[in-house]
Amino acid sequence: MNTPSVESSLQPMDQPRLVVFVVYPQMALLDLSGAQTVFWAASRAMTKRGLPGYQLRTSSLEGGLIETVEGMSVDTLRLEQSPDQPVDTFIVPGAPDICQTLDDYQPLANWLRVAAGRARRIASVCSGAFLLAKAGLLDGRRAATHWAMCDALRERFPEVEVDADAIFIQQDQIWTSAGVTAGIDLALALVEADCGREVSMQVARQLVVYLKRPGGQAQYSALLQSQSRDAAVFDGLHLWMAENLGDEKLTVEDLAQRAQMSPRNFSRVYKQKTGRSPAKALELFRLEAARRMLENSSRNIDRIARLCGFGDEDRMRNTFQRNLSISPRDYRSRFSRAD
């Protein structure tokens, strides 16, 4: 299940919801403060409506000052210090060096394993997913993390289905997000689930969040991703692909010929270098081109489908649903910047 309609989970609030941010040494400050600011702004918006908002609490295992990776210190309460009300949401930020230091956080993972059952939901920002995975909370679930840490999360926790493209993912009561500022997108989605779309959009405007991204939207462009690995040999091919997406008859064989390789060897080497098959890369290039046209032009959807090489609207719709869990029409209604 990937980011169902958040309006469907809207629940009445008769008292402020307690959101506990679980911090630890050398975490990333923005992973914490971005999400905290969203809940703070949402609480103000709810108070102006005469409705309860959120009570925010920053806690750590030992309490006291916790130094972030940036060198700033955050004052915290002890996690075991009982709050005055039940915890609604735990949020676990990430740390840049979590892969190297994860074993140091076994006591925190043990605590999270037990505490998760005491809250309505638990969420991670960026590499905070490693702590949820170490606690066993992501076993058999799809999860998101920073794109640069996806391989490490897969290798260390093979029972977790890592989604390298998603901005955030909801699996039952557990939410995970991609890197750093994606924590803001995650927090906005949590606020929307609690308070409704009007409040979440008001918060987004207040924070000058230019584009409120859906949970299934790619973390960054397919072209950029294809250039970010050991794939320089295919840079020219990728540019050619981007310029020829409109040819709906474009095949892997055509790409292999352009790369001056046999189809079999091309498919093997391409996946080895880029991490995905040529067919999947072509699909994502077309998807990205269609997204940009939906955002920036007033062309009708069938025309966009043909310009991007999908052939027709049905094929484009299937591709959007498969990769983004949203239809082209809904995507345009959320993100169009065209007059």
Side-chain angles (χ1 to χ4, degrees):
M1 176 175 58
N2 183 26
T3 58
S5 172
V6 286
E7 286 84 0
S8 65
S9 62
L10 188 62
Q11 299 181 20
M13 298 171 64
D14 55 6
Q15 64 177 339
R17 296 182 189 270
L18 177 59
V19 179
V20 175
F21 292 84
V22 181
V23 305
Y24 51 92
Q26 299 304 299
M27 65 161 193
L29 183 61
L30 187 55
D31 285 7
L32 170 70
S33 61
Q36 276 187 335
T37 302
V38 169
F39 284 103
W40 168 80
S43 197
R44 291 189 65 186
M46 293 294 283
T47 299
K48 290 179 180 179
R49 289 168 167 78
L51 299 171
Y54 294 96
Q55 178 183 343
L56 306 183
R57 186 183 181 102
T58 306
S59 300
S60 64
L61 277 180
E62 301 298 329
L65 292 177
I66 300 295
E67 186 173 0
T68 70
V69 71
E70 296 87 354
M72 296 185 65
S73 293
V74 177
D75 196 11
T76 68
L77 299 171
R78 289 182 67 251
L79 281 169
E80 291 299 340
Q81 184 175 336
S82 298
D84 296 331
Q85 63 187 92
V87 176
D88 180 83
T89 306
F90 286 112
I91 296 182
V92 184
D97 297 326
I98 195 75
C99 297
Q100 290 74 40
T101 60
L102 186 59
D103 289 341
D104 296 338
Y105 298 116
Q106 185 65 58
L108 180 56
N110 294 341
W111 189 92
L112 288 170
R113 183 182 302 114
V114 175
R118 303 202 300 258
R120 182 169 64 95
R121 62 192 176 192
I122 185 167
S124 65
V125 177
C126 193
S127 58
F130 282 77
L131 283 167
L132 298 193
K134 193 170 183 64
L137 300 175
L138 299 183
D139 290 358
R141 302 179 189 272
R142 290 179 58 241
T145 190
H146 193 291
W147 63 266
M149 297 182 177
C150 287
D151 289 343
L153 186 59
R154 288 192 191 97
E155 292 169 6
R156 189 146 188 168
F157 302 101
E159 61 276 18
V160 179
E161 182 185 345
V162 181
D163 189 327
D165 292 322
I167 292 294
F168 63 83
I169 293 172
Q170 178 192 357
Q171 292 270 270
D172 302 318
Q173 81 280 17
I174 298 177
W175 300 61
T176 55
S177 83
V180 196
T181 59
I184 295 175
D185 297 278
L186 170 69
L188 283 168
L190 294 171
V191 166
E192 186 173 346
D194 296 339
C195 310
R197 183 171 177 80
E198 182 181 347
V199 171
S200 69
M201 292 307 295
Q202 179 181 339
V203 172
R205 288 192 295 270
Q206 181 178 347
L207 301 185
V208 199
V209 179
Y210 183 62
L211 178 65
K212 183 172 179 291
R213 298 169 290 188
Q217 189 171 343
Q219 290 192 39
Y220 60 111
S221 81
L223 182 58
L224 176 61
Q225 186 169 5
S226 67
Q227 294 172 343
S228 66
R229 301 178 185 232
D230 183 23
V233 65
F234 294 122
D235 283 354
L237 175 65
H238 291 147
L239 292 174
W240 182 84
M241 288 167 62
E243 294 171 355
N244 291 272
L245 294 175
D247 182 2
E248 64 180 276
K249 297 182 180 179
L250 193 62
T251 65
V252 172
E253 287 72 20
D254 295 327
L255 301 181
Q257 184 177 8
R258 184 76 185 180
Q260 298 183 330
M261 302 171 72
S262 70
R264 181 176 179 181
N265 190 46
F266 169 69
S267 294
R268 179 183 63 80
V269 173
Y270 188 91
K271 186 167 186 178
Q272 180 185 60
K273 296 291 186 181
T274 69
R276 54 172 52 114
S277 70
K280 185 62 176 180
L282 183 58
E283 176 180 90
L284 293 179
F285 273 47
R286 284 178 167 147
L287 179 65
E288 184 174 337
R291 283 174 40 218
R292 290 178 176 171
M293 288 188 188
L294 289 167
E295 292 168 11
N296 299 309
S297 81
S298 56
R299 295 186 180 97
N300 67 54
I301 291 179
D302 188 66
R303 176 63 174 159
I304 290 175
R306 296 183 187 282
L307 287 172
C308 295
F310 290 105
D312 57 50
E313 184 178 340
D314 285 342
R315 287 179 58 193
M316 186 168 80
R317 183 187 307 110
N318 290 337
T319 300
F320 267 69
Q321 291 289 356
R322 181 165 57 251
N323 290 279
L324 305 182
S325 299
I326 190 173
S327 71
R329 293 185 184 277
D330 286 343
Y331 188 94
R332 167 170 271 175
S333 69
R334 292 192 191 186
F335 308 120
S336 176
R337 297 192 291 269
D339 293 332

